[in-house]
Amino acid sequence: MTTTPARGPAAARAAAETDRQVRRLYRLAYRVHSIGNTLADPDATAGTVARATARIPRALSAAKRLLALPGVADHDETPYALGFVHAAERRLTDPATRLLTVANAARAAAARAAADGDDLRVVVFRDIEERSRHLVGAARGEPVSGRRGWTRQDRTASDTLQRQAAQWGLTAGTDGRPPGPAGPGHPPVPARLAREAADRAATRARCAPGIRCERPACPAYGALWVEHGGRRWFVCARCLPAENADLRARGFRPDAKPVPGGVPEGARFSVRLYNAAGRGARAVECGTAQEAQFIAETERPFNNTGYEISVRYASRPSARP
């Protein structure tokens, strides 16, 4: 009889402690669920994937420690919390997560290939990245279309993509380069990608003289850097009289002329790529006129991409002094 009064408060304290640990499990479950959801984002970067794949296992270990505490595993609310934990755990082995890894490896490899001037690898790696991210989005599902999860064709496409990524050296532990030179030794390439790579190489050769004339109907490259009234732009020598005629027709003095000394030594170029049919723009810095024109003609971040090329001195912008 003397111990009965003590057993009541002890049981209450034990129950309160169990509830506290279950609340900890809930907080952990919500956090790991949020982290797992980042692996369903088609645009997840390599850093995002790396953080998620590192944090989820740590959260799972913490959940196991909480479940080992007295009363937590048997609590009525625990199964609901564990549903979030298990969902995040499944994300780690989900094919979509592997495709995100492939997509980010392909993006990095395409950047290296672009720096090397290897048009074939740029085209192949960008194609792998685009198709991988598309499948990740399909796995998540789009509420508008009512589609949820992968079809049988999507699963086949995922397997094919992962095999192709392995062939081109995009799997873990590689440097993102093909097993052989971008010639007879590279893996088989679909005809459409070979044509796209050839078109890209032709564009590179076309841009070799430099910036294209900004007159819409003029196909000439290697245009002059001209100025008028504080504004500077690119016009070829053949179109300069027509440019001045247009200035006269609009009521301005027709005295556009080449910038004295031309483009300064060591100047860089800024290519502004903008959405001609909506919002959005980004700028790319280039070291040469040839590179700037090539970027302007090959990069398409928007469906209706327009571009502007300006000259930047080594220390300050100079396109519009």
Side-chain angles (χ1 to χ4, degrees):
M1 296 296 293
T2 57
T3 60
T4 301
R7 290 174 59 186
R13 285 194 298 271
E17 177 62 18
T18 298
D19 290 341
R20 189 177 73 85
Q21 298 301 339
V22 171
R23 286 195 297 272
R24 289 183 59 196
L25 179 63
Y26 259 83
R27 289 193 294 269
L28 176 67
Y30 288 144
R31 285 199 304 271
V32 74
H33 180 65
S34 177
I35 295 169
N37 282 343
T38 63
L39 296 177
D41 182 4
D43 297 320
T45 63
T48 298
V49 175
R51 285 191 297 271
T53 53
R55 293 176 65 184
I56 290 175
R58 292 200 296 267
L60 295 177
S61 298
K64 290 179 180 178
R65 290 194 296 271
L66 289 173
L67 289 171
L69 296 176
V72 174
D74 299 327
H75 197 280
D76 291 340
E77 299 294 334
T78 296
Y80 184 75
L82 289 180
F84 293 108
V85 175
H86 293 154
E89 185 177 17
R90 287 192 295 271
R91 290 286 188 193
L92 290 177
T93 57
D94 193 277
T97 300
R98 295 197 294 273
L99 286 179
L100 278 178
T101 302
V102 166
N104 287 309
R107 174 177 292 182
R112 291 193 294 269
D116 294 341
D118 190 332
D119 295 310
L120 178 63
R121 283 195 292 136
V122 170
V123 169
V124 170
F125 292 150
R126 287 184 175 178
D127 179 70
I128 291 174
E129 179 189 1
E130 180 180 352
R131 288 189 292 143
S132 297
R133 295 192 189 280
H134 173 76
L135 283 175
V136 173
R140 181 175 61 177
E142 298 297 337
V144 174
S145 64
R147 179 181 177 180
R148 295 289 181 183
W150 278 351
T151 63
R152 181 181 302 175
Q153 290 80 4
D154 290 333
R155 295 188 181 279
T156 301
S158 173
D159 294 340
T160 301
L161 263 175
Q162 293 183 60
R163 286 194 300 270
Q164 185 181 11
Q167 289 176 336
W168 284 90
L170 296 177
T171 52
T174 64
D175 64 354
R177 296 180 182 273
H186 66 71
V189 177
R192 64 179 182 85
L193 296 184
R195 289 193 298 269
E196 188 175 340
D199 291 343
R200 184 179 171 90
T203 301
R204 186 186 300 278
R206 188 171 65 244
C207 295
I211 306 297
R212 182 176 177 174
C213 178
E214 293 186 23
R215 299 279 295 183
C218 182
Y221 289 78
L224 302 172
W225 194 33
V226 303
E227 64 180 354
H228 176 272
R231 178 176 177 265
R232 295 177 176 179
W233 68 103
F234 289 93
V235 178
C236 69
R238 187 177 60 182
C239 288
L240 189 54
E243 196 76 0
N244 278 317
D246 287 349
L247 288 171
R248 181 185 292 110
R250 296 200 304 268
F252 296 101
R253 293 177 58 186
D255 58 355
K257 57 184 179 299
V259 176
V263 177
E265 185 71 23
R268 296 182 61 82
F269 295 81
S270 177
V271 184
R272 180 176 176 269
L273 303 166
Y274 60 88
N275 187 354
R279 300 170 59 183
R282 69 182 181 92
V284 181
E285 296 293 321
C286 302
T288 65
Q290 294 81 3
E291 180 189 2
Q293 187 62 43
F294 180 70
I295 291 294
E297 294 194 20
T298 57
E299 296 298 317
R300 289 291 176 268
F302 312 102
N303 290 335
N304 299 280
T305 300
Y307 70 84
E308 295 174 351
I309 301 176
S310 58
V311 179
R312 301 179 66 89
Y313 288 105
S315 59
R316 63 184 177 86
S318 63
R320 297 178 182 273

